[in-house]
């Protein structure tokens, strides 16, 4: 998808989303982020294997109906950037795995393959990460190629967040 058209659709969608969520862009924290486990299809995921890519790791809950907007925009962004040095992961923090499996079945039946990115369940036995507790859902972490924090968005993603990701991929 063309960058300008994508950003325009994000701006329009942002008009209908809640405002006032905080964006933390401090580089003071030089934490090395880690995540490993299996996606809902059983594929092993380890972000250590993605060291050459900018990552978007999004923690979400299906209990928040507004998260569907972010997931839709994430699918579009992923499809437009999957051939570049970029990867994204979604991590469900829902306790109820059945609802997550139902959602994943819908994704498999209705979303084109090129728009599907790995979805993990944070409460799966094999899942490990050091992203900490989430205060708001969704919470997004944009990481550079060294898995250092570029920015963190608590709440819905904004148009400028996508632009910041594009700039990080191009860096």
């Amino acid at each position: 998808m063309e960058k300008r058209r994508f950003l325009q659709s994000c701006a329009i969608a942002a008009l209908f989303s809640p405002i006032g969520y905080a964006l933390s862009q401090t580089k003071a924290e030089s934490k090395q982020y880690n995540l490993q486990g299996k996606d809902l299809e059983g594929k092993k995921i380890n972000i250590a294997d993605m060291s050459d890519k900018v990552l978007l790791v999004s923690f979400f809950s299906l209990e928040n109906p507004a998260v569907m907007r972010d997931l839709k925009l994430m699918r579009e962004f992923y499809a437009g950037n999957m051939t570049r040095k970029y990867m994204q992961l979604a991590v469900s923090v829902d306790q109820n795995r059945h609802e997550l499996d139902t959602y994943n079945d819908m994704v498999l039946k209705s979303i084109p393959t090129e728009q599907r990115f790995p979805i993990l369940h944070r409460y799966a036995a094999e899942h490990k990460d050091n992203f900490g507790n989430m205060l708001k859902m969704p919470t997004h972490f944009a990481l550079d190629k060294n898995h250092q924090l570029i920015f963190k968005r608590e709440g819905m993603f904004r148009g400028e967040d996508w632009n910041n990701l594009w700039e990080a991929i191009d860096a």
Side-chain angles (χ1 to χ4, degrees):
M1 174 181 278
E2 180 188 334
K3 180 179 178 181
R4 174 183 223 128
R5 195 170 123 224
F6 180 79
L7 289 175
Q8 287 172 340
S9 66
C10 290
I12 291 167
L15 292 174
F16 300 101
S17 68
I19 60 174
Y21 294 110
L23 174 66
S24 168
Q25 282 192 300
T26 60
K27 276 285 200 177
E29 181 182 342
S30 62
K31 178 179 183 176
Q32 179 81 24
Y33 285 93
N34 297 300
L35 183 149
Q36 58 186 347
K38 290 183 182 177
D39 69 8
L40 297 181
E41 305 308 308
K43 181 182 175 190
K44 287 186 179 184
I45 302 291
N46 188 339
I47 65 172
D49 298 334
M50 304 172 197
S51 62
D52 63 334
K53 297 182 180 194
V54 170
L55 299 174
L56 176 61
V57 182
S58 299
F59 292 83
F60 72 98
S61 171
L62 292 171
E63 293 177 9
N64 178 350
V67 79
M68 291 305 160
R69 174 194 157 269
D70 269 9
L71 290 171
K72 178 185 182 300
L73 293 174
M74 287 171 64
R75 287 192 296 270
E76 292 174 9
F77 191 85
Y78 180 71
N81 291 283
M82 63 191 309
T83 59
R84 301 173 74 204
K85 296 283 186 182
Y86 174 73
M87 184 59 176
Q88 64 190 40
L89 304 169
V91 182
S92 170
V93 298
D94 292 306
Q95 295 280 342
N96 186 341
R97 175 68 190 251
H98 176 72
E99 289 180 25
L100 181 58
D101 288 336
T102 300
Y103 170 76
N104 192 52
D105 287 343
M106 183 274 308
V107 166
L108 294 174
K109 292 175 183 171
S110 63
I111 303 299
T113 304
E114 66 274 4
Q115 290 187 5
R116 294 185 209 150
F117 48 86
I119 299 174
L120 297 92
H121 187 232
R122 197 171 200 199
Y123 297 106
E126 64 277 349
H127 184 90
K128 295 177 185 164
D129 72 59
N130 66 342
F131 285 85
N133 294 326
M134 308 299 146
L135 300 176
K136 294 185 179 185
M137 282 298 121
T139 296
H140 306 278
F141 293 82
L143 306 178
D144 67 15
K145 295 172 185 173
N146 297 313
H147 301 159
Q148 299 293 309
L149 185 67
I150 301 170
F151 68 88
K152 175 182 174 181
R153 167 69 69 194
E154 292 179 310
M156 305 305 290
F157 228 58
R158 297 182 182 172
E160 66 264 22
D161 298 335
W162 297 114
N163 200 41
N164 289 335
L165 271 178
W166 252 301
E167 290 174 5
I169 294 169
D170 289 338

